[in-house]
């Protein structure tokens, strides 16, 4: 089913005064980008956390904050001297080479330079369980938001189908009007001179062929059907939906370039508007 890329989750594991808390916030992102802050954890635990998140959340910018509720007497604050000096060196280099002064506070916050460490050992299994629970809450929120987005997509897709259907109905009449104007203009230019009807019919047929949008409308309908099908699959569909929308845009633009009446142009503008609204929302889809 369709899932949003945004969501929030909270997971806890452990009992009493020794409890691990994982807070996860997911926001839009082209790829999976996991940012972990909070208590110090060993590399093996960090890898496990990243593996859990990669499997469950798949895509987006994922902010993870880890907390440990201990007895309150064994927690100490440490300063990351090496990181501070490395950042300070970069800031001085920017000021020297580019004449721009950047404040340290604009780039990092206290959590980037100070860490809380606990002498009590953090249970790796509890840490993994807390992160897993938080991920599950994120997924549930993503699904809830995704359901709302799916309804909006279906509504806009129905609008697109209706507009295209109306455009198709009006095309024959609009072409007949164009043919009459074409014949009237030729008669005016020839001023009573006899016209070879067969040649005139050939010219009109050529114009009709150049203005024909049957191929484009057929492809658009196919894209609509594929789009509708992707809304029902379980796997992430955001990238494929975005690709389909790009293809829809190309077909709509081609119809617009072949347009020869105000009515058709009006429908094309409406199609573009609805497709653009869809495109904006698709950026929020997993």
């Amino acid at each position: 089913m369709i899932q949003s890329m945004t969501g929030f989750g909270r997971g806890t594991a452990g009992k009493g005064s020794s409890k691990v808390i994982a807070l996860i916030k997911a926001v839009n992102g082209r790829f999976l980008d996991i940012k972990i802050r909070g208590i110090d954890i060993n590399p093996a635990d960090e890898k496990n956390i990243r593996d859990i998140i990669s499997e469950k959340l798949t895509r987006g910018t994922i902010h993870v904050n880890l907390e440990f509720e201990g007895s309150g007497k064994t927690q100490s604050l440490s300063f990351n001297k090496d990181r501070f000096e490395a950042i300070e060196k970069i800031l001085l280099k920017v000021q020297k080479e580019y004449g721009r002064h950047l404040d340290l506070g604009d780039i990092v916050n206290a959590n980037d330079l100070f860490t809380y460490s606990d002498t009590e050992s953090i249970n790796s299994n509890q840490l993994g369980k807390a992160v897993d629970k938080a991920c599950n809450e994120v997924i549930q929120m993503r699904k809830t938001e995704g359901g709302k987005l799916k309804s909006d997509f279906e509504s806009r897709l129905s609008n697109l189908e209706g507009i295209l259907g109306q455009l198709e109905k009006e095309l024959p009449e609009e072409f007949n009007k164009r043919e009459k104007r074409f014949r009237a203009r030729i008669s005016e230019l020839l001023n009573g001179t006899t016209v070879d009807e067969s040649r005139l019919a050939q010219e009109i047929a050529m114009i009709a062929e150049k203005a024909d949008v049957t191929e484009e409308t057929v492809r658009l309908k196919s894209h609509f059907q594929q789009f509708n099908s992707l809304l029902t699959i379980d796997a992430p569909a955001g990238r494929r939906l975005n690709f389909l929308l790009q293809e829809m845009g190309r077909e709509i633009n081609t119809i617009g370039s072949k347009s020869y009446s105000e009515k058709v142009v009006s429908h094309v503008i409406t199609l573009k508007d609805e497709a653009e609204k869809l495109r904006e929302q698709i950026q929020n889809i997993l």
Side-chain angles (χ1 to χ4, degrees), residues 104-168:
L104 184 66
D106 294 333
I107 300 173
V108 299
N109 58 36
N111 287 335
D112 294 321
L113 299 176
F114 295 90
T115 56
Y116 288 94
S117 59
D118 298 281
T119 55
E120 296 181 52
S121 61
I122 298 174
N123 187 292
S124 297
N125 289 332
Q126 289 181 355
L127 189 60
K129 286 179 181 178
V131 171
D132 188 74
K133 288 178 181 178
C135 284
N136 289 337
E137 284 197 5
V138 171
I139 291 170
Q140 187 56 50
M141 187 175 287
R142 279 179 161 186
K143 288 180 177 179
T144 301
E145 181 65 21
K148 296 176 182 177
L149 289 171
K150 180 175 180 288
S151 297
D152 183 67
F153 293 154
E154 290 172 337
S155 175
R156 296 197 182 282
L157 194 61
S158 178
N159 289 343
L160 284 167
E161 290 171 334
I163 297 164
L164 183 62
Q166 187 62 35
L167 185 150
E168 285 184 293

Side-chain angles (χ1 to χ4, degrees), residues 87-100:
I87 295 173
E88 188 74 8
K89 184 178 179 181
I90 292 172
L91 293 178
L92 290 172
K93 185 177 181 181
V94 169
Q95 185 171 3
K96 181 179 178 181
E97 294 185 5
Y98 301 99
R100 296 289 300 275

Side-chain angles (χ1 to χ4, degrees), residues 59-74:
R59 185 176 160 215
T61 300
I62 314 298
H63 298 276
V64 184
N65 190 59
L66 302 173
E67 299 175 3
F68 179 71
E69 288 187 356
S71 64
K73 297 179 181 179
T74 57

